[in-house]
Amino acid sequence: MLNLKSNNINPKDLLLYAITDRHWLNGRTLSQQVRECLEGGATIIQIREKKLSEEEFLEEAKEIQSLCKEFNVPFIVNDNINIAAKIKADGVHVGQEDMDAKKVRTMLGENAILGVSASTVEEALKAEKDGADYLGVGAVFNTSTKDDADSVSFDTLKEICNSVSIPVVAIGGISASNILELKGSGIDGVSVISAIFASDDIKEATKNLKELAKSL
């Protein structure tokens, strides 16, 4: 990894990248869970909603954005460019099946953080060329939260990190028990969903993962 600072994101902000999932709310609100996650030290938050109406998503995004501002961490919206633009989120993350990265960059402007998913060197290089500020690469381990995720080997992850000059975050099935297997790959951080939000103690789980991520 060349580990250069991209225009819109500091690689240090990608150390522990928490992605929301309402699957584990158990009667609580997403805001409550995100607050605990931020108190535990998450360095960036992405809101990911696939089943809410546009209106519900908008209101929830505003709540989470407010929390992120309170803790001074970047707030990213998954996929939904319209909502990201409407609330002036710090950025957006898109997958290979979503809108073309170059078009997203045009819509959101030069100052928004643009994250793009990649699972091959070719996809990574194209995303960088199209204006991505960072890459989400995975799935590096088996994951229950994204059934359609392509599998990415350690060697491919390392090759991607060595091929691009923008930061790389590993995603997919990462937990406290396997995170250190990614050591030496060149990643700038890890994206985590269930290892945080499915935990009985979100704050403690986040704190523990952050400490482990520091040794990657």
Side-chain angles (χ1 to χ4, degrees), residues 58-208:
L58 179 63
E59 289 310 304
E60 187 176 78
K62 286 178 181 175
E63 281 184 38
I64 306 304
Q65 181 183 39
S66 178
L67 276 173
C68 288
K69 284 180 177 175
E70 182 184 331
F71 285 83
N72 197 32
V73 305
F75 173 64
I76 307 294
V77 174
N78 180 271
D79 291 355
N80 198 315
I81 320 300
N82 293 330
I83 282 181
K86 195 173 288 186
I87 66 172
K88 293 183 171 63
D90 294 308
V92 70
H93 187 97
V94 294
Q96 289 293 318
E97 306 304 317
D98 302 317
M99 190 182 293
D100 182 73
K102 194 180 289 185
K103 189 173 181 182
V104 177
R105 171 57 75 204
T106 302
M107 290 175 67
L108 293 182
E110 289 303 313
N111 296 323
I113 298 168
L114 174 56
V116 178
S117 298
S119 58
T120 66
V121 171
E122 290 74 25
E123 288 176 354
L125 289 170
K126 183 179 186 303
E128 181 178 31
K129 184 181 176 184
D130 288 347
D133 290 300
Y134 74 89
L135 300 173
V137 176
V140 293
F141 300 112
N142 290 333
T143 173
S144 61
T145 54
K146 207 165 182 196
D147 298 332
D148 60 346
D150 291 326
S151 171
V152 175
S153 69
F154 180 90
D155 287 343
T156 298
L157 176 63
K158 188 172 183 177
E159 190 180 355
I160 288 172
C161 289
N162 287 331
S163 299
V164 297
S165 61
I166 54 176
V168 174
V169 178
I171 186 170
I174 298 168
S175 67
S177 62
N178 62 22
I179 185 173
L180 293 181
E181 292 177 34
L182 301 172
K183 194 166 186 174
S185 62
I187 57 173
D188 294 276
V190 290
S191 274
V192 180
I193 305 175
S194 61
I196 288 177
F197 291 105
S199 173
D200 291 333
D201 189 335
I202 289 173
K203 183 177 177 179
E204 192 58 36
T206 306
K207 194 181 293 184
N208 184 37

